[in-house]
Amino acid sequence: MPTTKQGNVQGYDSPELSQFVEDLMTQKGFKEKLDEEIFAGVKQDLKTSLERRINAAVVANLPAEKLSVFEEMLDSGDQQGLQKLCQDEIPNFKEIIMAELLNFKKTYLGV
């Protein structure tokens, strides 16, 4: 299975993903409890963990014959190519991403 090196599946190395993680941390009460530097480090760790979960979910749904192309794009950081490949090859791509975001939120917040 490909590993996350320089990119992530759907271009979610984005402000939206960062904001999603920050919102979760705020809901947990960490924004008030942690100093800025620690907060930023925890946020980056959580974002990396979420990206890996999203990548794993997408890989599990990608046709086997497209895995080598996927890995090449992931390694090169071709975010636009990854986005197009996933949208073209995975019929329920957006639903898979949303499900991973919701599962991550449930796990993190313990709900």
Side-chain angles (χ1 to χ4, degrees):
M1 170 160 51
T3 57
T4 302
K5 292 183 181 172
Q6 295 182 20
N8 60 66
V9 169
Q10 34 135 82
Y12 260 35
D13 186 13
S14 66
E16 292 86 3
L17 190 60
S18 291
Q19 188 62 53
F20 178 80
V21 170
E22 186 168 328
D23 290 347
L24 290 179
M25 292 179 68
T26 300
Q27 289 176 39
K28 267 297 226 208
F30 288 156
K31 190 144 189 146
E32 299 81 28
K33 294 177 186 174
L34 301 176
D35 72 43
E36 211 171 297
E37 187 176 321
I38 293 172
F39 184 86
V42 172
K43 179 180 169 183
Q44 184 57 48
D45 290 347
L46 285 172
K47 185 175 168 225
T48 299
S49 177
L50 180 55
E51 288 170 349
R52 287 183 179 144
R53 286 179 65 156
I54 291 170
N55 286 351
V58 170
V59 166
N61 288 278
L62 197 65
E65 65 273 6
K66 297 296 182 181
L67 289 176
S68 63
V69 173
F70 173 86
E71 187 167 9
E72 289 171 15
M73 289 179 173
L74 193 64
D75 288 345
S76 71
D78 182 358
Q79 298 296 328
Q80 290 179 333
L82 283 167
Q83 180 79 20
K84 181 166 179 11
L85 176 70
C86 292
Q87 288 176 340
D88 291 349
E89 298 296 332
I90 302 172
N92 57 342
F93 175 65
K94 288 184 180 183
E95 291 82 6
I96 290 168
I97 301 305
M98 291 306 297
E100 277 309 308
L101 291 172
L102 288 173
N103 286 335
F104 188 84
K105 180 178 181 177
K106 287 177 185 177
T107 300
Y108 186 70
L109 295 178
V111 293

